[in-house]
């Protein structure tokens, strides 16, 4: 009989929601900066932002472990100054999810801001609008479809994150056992029915998320074409 404990689902949704909120804000800020400014080392910085896309998740997790571990540069400071531990906590799972999903949000935001007609922004500036107002009244509304796509994809990626999460947050039942981690350890324990149950849940969530995004994108494309 399958265990009806839905803690992995609740933890996965919590991690995905928190990480996506952070990624949306951070990705928005960096994408806006990178599309508005040219500076030395810009290509190198963008390559660094996109690095989690091409690295194995375990490598990303190992790097995070070096940073946030007990003897890591950031982890040691947090532990000594504030008594905060990142490793083997839900916070660690959120950080891992933020890092691996950030490139998706960043790329979508860059593409969205690049598609905005600069002449509209310049017109707003000539009318005396500040950069902050230009962003919120011109750039953000016009870039919103692409930003929403990045938000949804980041959420889906956060739900499915496994490798970096396992390295940094580990497997503590009731605390860090997100769905992907629960699937792995269920298979390891030979609990195939339990693993299949969680596979169906996360596949359904992923399919539902991407289906809605495709439906929304096509609906808006038809609406734009009819104008």
């Amino acid at each position: 009989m399958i265990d009806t404990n839905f803690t992995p689902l609740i933890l996965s949704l919590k991690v995905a929601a928190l990480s996506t909120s952070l990624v949306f804000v951070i990705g928005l800020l960096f994408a806006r900066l990178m599309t508005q400014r040219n500076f030395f080392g810009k290509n190198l910085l963008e390559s660094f932002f996109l690095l989690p896309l091409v690295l194995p998740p375990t490598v990303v997790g190992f790097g995070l472990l070096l940073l946030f571990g007990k003897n890591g540069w950031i982890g040691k400071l947090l532990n000594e100054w504030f008594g905060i531990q990142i490793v083997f906590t839900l916070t660690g799972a959120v950080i891992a999810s933020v890092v691996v999903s950030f490139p998706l949000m960043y790329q979508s935001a860059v593409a969205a801001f690049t598609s905005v007609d600069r002449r509209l922004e310049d017109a707003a500036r000539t009318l005396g609008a500040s950069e902050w107002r230009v962003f919120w009244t011109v750039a953000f509304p016009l870039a919103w479809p692409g930003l929403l796509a990045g938000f949804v994809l980041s959420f889906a990626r956060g739900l499915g994150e496994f490798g970096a999460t396992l390295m940094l947050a580990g497997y503590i039942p009731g605390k860090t056992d997100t769905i992907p981690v629960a699937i792995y350890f269920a298979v390891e324990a030979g609990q195939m029915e339990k693993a299949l149950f969680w596979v169906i849940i996360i596949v359904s969530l992923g399919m539902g998320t991407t289906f809605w995004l495709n439906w929304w994108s096509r609906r808006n494309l038809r609406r734009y074409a009819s104008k």
Side-chain angles (χ1 to χ4, degrees):
M1 185 174 179
I2 299 173
D3 186 2
T4 55
N5 180 11
F6 285 94
T7 300
L9 174 60
I10 296 171
L11 291 177
S12 291
L13 291 174
K14 185 182 294 186
V15 168
L18 290 172
S19 65
T20 305
S21 300
L22 291 171
V23 162
F24 183 77
V25 174
I26 298 170
L28 201 68
L29 293 174
F30 277 107
R32 182 63 175 174
L33 173 65
M34 298 296 273
T35 54
Q36 293 292 306
R37 299 284 186 271
N38 287 313
F39 52 87
F40 179 77
K42 179 179 178 179
N43 289 335
L44 183 62
L45 184 58
E46 281 195 307
S47 299
F48 176 74
F49 287 161
L50 301 178
L51 197 57
L53 279 178
V54 297
L55 288 178
T58 50
V59 174
V60 176
F62 181 72
L64 292 174
L65 195 60
L66 292 178
L67 285 176
F68 293 99
K70 186 177 181 181
N71 296 316
W73 177 56
I74 299 177
K76 189 174 182 180
L77 291 178
L78 290 175
N79 191 28
E80 291 180 353
W81 292 2
F82 306 103
I84 297 175
Q85 179 180 326
I86 301 298
V87 179
F88 302 128
T89 65
L90 193 66
T91 302
V94 172
I95 292 174
S97 185
V98 165
V99 173
V100 298
S101 61
F102 173 78
L104 294 174
M105 185 65 230
Y106 174 76
Q107 279 191 313
S108 297
V110 166
F113 285 132
T114 302
S115 67
V116 175
D117 192 340
R118 289 291 185 89
R119 291 173 297 181
L120 297 176
E121 295 186 40
D122 291 337
R125 293 187 183 97
T126 58
L127 293 174
S130 63
E131 288 298 322
W132 183 253
R133 190 170 183 182
V134 168
F135 174 76
W136 284 113
T137 61
V138 180
F140 187 83
L142 292 175
W144 174 243
L147 298 177
L148 180 60
F151 182 89
V152 173
L153 290 174
S154 297
F155 181 81
R157 183 67 184 87
L159 278 176
E161 164 50 30
F162 169 70
T165 299
L166 185 61
M167 293 285 288
L168 190 62
Y171 176 64
I172 303 177
K175 292 185 177 181
T176 64
D177 55 333
T178 57
I179 292 179
V181 176
I183 292 171
Y184 176 81
F185 282 96
V187 173
E188 284 287 297
Q191 300 173 335
M192 302 307 291
E193 288 187 358
K194 182 178 180 181
L196 180 60
F197 172 76
W198 287 120
V199 166
I200 292 172
I201 293 294
I202 199 165
V203 168
S204 300
L205 288 171
M207 281 291 294
T209 302
T210 53
F211 179 84
W212 179 87
L213 178 60
N214 287 331
W215 170 81
W216 183 85
S217 299
R218 286 172 181 156
R219 188 191 69 170
N220 280 271
L221 184 60
R222 288 196 298 269
R223 181 183 299 176
Y224 177 78
S226 64
K227 290 182 180 180

